[in-house]
Amino acid sequence: MSRTLFTSESVTEGHPDKIADQISDSILDHLFVSDPQSRVACETLVTTGLAFVAGEVSTEAYVHIPDIVRGTLSRIGYTNAVYGIDALTCAVLTSIDQQSSDIAMGVDTGGAGDQGMMFGYATNETPELMPAPIQYAHAITRQLAHVRKTGEVPWLRPDGKSQITVEYEDGRPRRIHTVVVSAQHNEDVRHSEIVETLTRKVIEPVLPEELVDDHCIFHINPTGRFVTGGPHGDAGLTGRKIIVDTYGGVGRHGGGAFSGKDPTKVDRSAAYAARWAAKNVVAAGLATRCEIQLAYAIGVAEPVSILVTNLRDAEVSNHELARAVSEVFDLTPAGIIDRLRLRAPIYTATAAYGHFGRAPEIKFPDAGGDEAQFFPWELTDRVDDLRNALGG
């Protein structure tokens, strides 16, 4: 038997980089409410007492960016100046210009908004068809936010991280080897209380009992103190958590970030489409693990290449799978946007706890609201089509 370890991390919505991602995507959502054809490339920086929003936006809509920034900070929980940034009193600076007319020339005709390569991945090691380490790491950070917002653990602050190491045996998850949790907290709480409370109320409720044994290693706030956090402890930038956003380091990444970009940017939309296709391949039983690479040229609609890689226990060849994926999925930017309905204000919810491995409920929320749970690239609605394309 071959045994290996693999580790992935997640961060809470109060992590400075994730604050920046959520602000950028909330601006995108607010623009899409009034003008679904908006072209948006929005970057955010947050630091102590300051949020700075820059980028290129072409739209018929008007939004008041400072209000969106403050609303996002408030929703996350930054409502106290002690935390280093306060939604009511922080400074908000903006520098927004229009999209380059040179880029628009290619996008207006249905082409890709830039060149680049994007990857999608799926594996049958979890019900969500996601790698186990990142899926369990996200479960912990979501639970950290939940017990903080409900008041169940009143001394928690918004910033936090988790890290999960899974031990694999012959390529399958055998046990959770190590759990790391770092949670920002009030100054007056004892370390022993932090360890006991987070073990009981955060870790134990979300990790599968069958994967946690007596040999599992736990590191909870291992430095002993995490009071200074969020933008006060570290500046945050849009797009700095691309591995947290995707598959936790499993598979490859094309390098493009997602948040703040409208779906004409294939960095985002094609990565969603590649996940959609890979998930359907695995759900169809055609492979236990599948990675799909798409590549585009600016202004060109069709992908310049499609690579499907069966990583384990393939039922059909890579060549045949690539042919079937090309036949079943319209992978032009316009086709992706249309079939996944990517001009809806659905993006704020993607900006924390991963863009993949989420339930694909169809629910159209108000822009920036907590109810945004529309992840259509998680649907397994092309399983029969793929099987038929391969002769049943």
Side-chain angles (χ1 to χ4, degrees):
M1 295 182 184
S2 171
R3 292 189 179 182
T4 56
L5 300 178
F6 195 89
T7 302
S8 296
E9 74 158 346
S10 177
V11 299
T12 67
E13 62 205 68
H15 184 280
D17 293 329
K18 278 291 137 197
I19 298 170
D21 284 342
Q22 290 167 91
I23 290 172
S24 294
D25 270 340
S26 187
I27 292 169
L28 172 62
D29 279 348
H30 279 81
L31 289 166
F32 267 11
V33 168
S34 299
D35 181 8
Q37 301 299 320
S38 296
R39 304 272 177 83
V40 183
C42 181
E43 313 293 340
T44 303
L45 177 149
V46 291
T47 188
T48 304
L50 171 67
F52 178 56
V53 179
E56 296 78 47
V57 175
S58 295
T59 183
E60 297 298 320
Y62 171 77
V63 297
H64 190 60
I65 289 176
D67 284 349
I68 298 172
V69 172
R70 297 184 194 283
T72 303
L73 288 168
S74 179
R75 176 177 54 80
I76 293 169
Y78 283 102
T79 56
N80 189 331
V82 172
Y83 297 168
I85 191 168
D86 177 13
L88 292 176
T89 61
C90 71
V92 179
L93 304 178
T94 62
S95 180
I96 303 293
D97 206 343
Q98 289 190 335
Q99 182 186 59
S100 161
S101 58
D102 294 345
I103 295 175
M105 287 174 58
V107 179
D108 290 343
T109 59
D114 201 354
Q115 69 179 44
M117 64 282 192
M118 303 83 208
F119 289 90
Y121 183 86
T123 172
N124 69 355
E125 63 191 61
T126 63
E128 299 83 6
L129 303 188
M130 285 287 287
I134 188 66
Q135 200 67 10
Y136 300 145
H138 285 323
I140 287 179
T141 51
R142 282 196 302 267
Q143 182 70 359
L144 269 176
H146 174 73
V147 298
R148 172 177 61 85
K149 289 183 169 182
T150 60
E152 190 174 349
V153 184
W155 42 258
L156 278 173
R157 293 183 179 180
D159 199 355
K161 290 184 174 184
S162 69
Q163 186 171 281
I164 297 291
T165 301
V166 172
E167 181 178 314
Y168 287 80
E169 186 175 280
D170 291 337
R172 304 299 301 173
R174 179 177 179 271
R175 57 184 291 270
I176 293 175
H177 181 276
T178 303
V179 177
V180 182
V181 180
S182 295
Q184 187 188 16
H185 57 84
N186 290 347
E187 194 163 8
D188 56 354
V189 64
R190 299 186 311 275
H191 185 257
S192 59
E193 182 181 354
I194 294 171
V195 172
E196 189 275 332
T197 302
L198 297 188
T199 300
R200 179 168 50 89
K201 294 190 174 184
V202 174
I203 297 172
E204 290 178 355
V206 301
L207 294 185
E209 291 183 10
E210 65 274 15
L211 294 181
V212 181
D213 59 25
D214 293 339
H215 301 289
C216 185
I217 300 166
F218 295 89
H219 295 294
I220 300 174
N221 280 27
T223 67
R225 178 182 169 89
F226 186 6
V227 174
T228 302
H232 187 41
D234 188 13
L237 292 170
T238 299
R240 280 209 305 202
K241 285 291 177 283
I242 59 175
I243 300 304
V244 172
D245 285 343
T246 52
Y247 309 102
V250 177
R252 291 171 283 192
H253 197 293
F258 300 156
S259 289
K261 297 177 181 177
D262 75 83
T264 66
K265 280 73 171 174
V266 284
D267 276 344
R268 183 169 216 163
S269 54
Y272 289 172
R275 161 66 177 173
W276 182 37
K279 187 174 183 181
N280 276 268
V281 168
V282 174
L286 303 173
T288 59
R289 300 180 191 177
C290 178
E291 180 185 79
I292 294 179
Q293 185 203 50
L294 305 176
Y296 293 84
I298 187 169
V300 179
E302 293 290 343
V304 298
S305 69
I306 301 172
L307 173 66
V308 181
T309 305
N310 293 306
L311 299 172
R312 189 178 176 90
D313 300 333
E315 293 295 323
V316 294
S317 70
N318 291 342
H319 174 75
E320 284 297 298
L321 265 184
R323 180 190 60 77
V325 166
S326 299
E327 178 180 323
V328 169
F329 295 91
D330 181 350
L331 296 173
T332 64
I336 294 168
I337 290 168
D338 178 62
R339 282 151 184 79
L340 295 182
R341 288 186 276 175
L342 296 183
R343 293 198 183 277
I346 60 174
Y347 295 101
T348 303
T350 69
Y353 313 116
H355 293 244
F356 308 123
R358 313 279 285 273
E361 299 102 42
I362 300 175
K363 192 183 298 182
F364 288 91
D366 293 332
D370 287 330
E371 296 303 315
Q373 296 292 329
F374 183 41
F375 296 82
W377 49 90
E378 293 298 313
L379 293 168
T380 51
D381 55 347
R382 298 300 174 90
V383 165
D384 291 339
D385 294 334
L386 283 170
R387 289 172 177 160
N388 290 336
L390 292 166

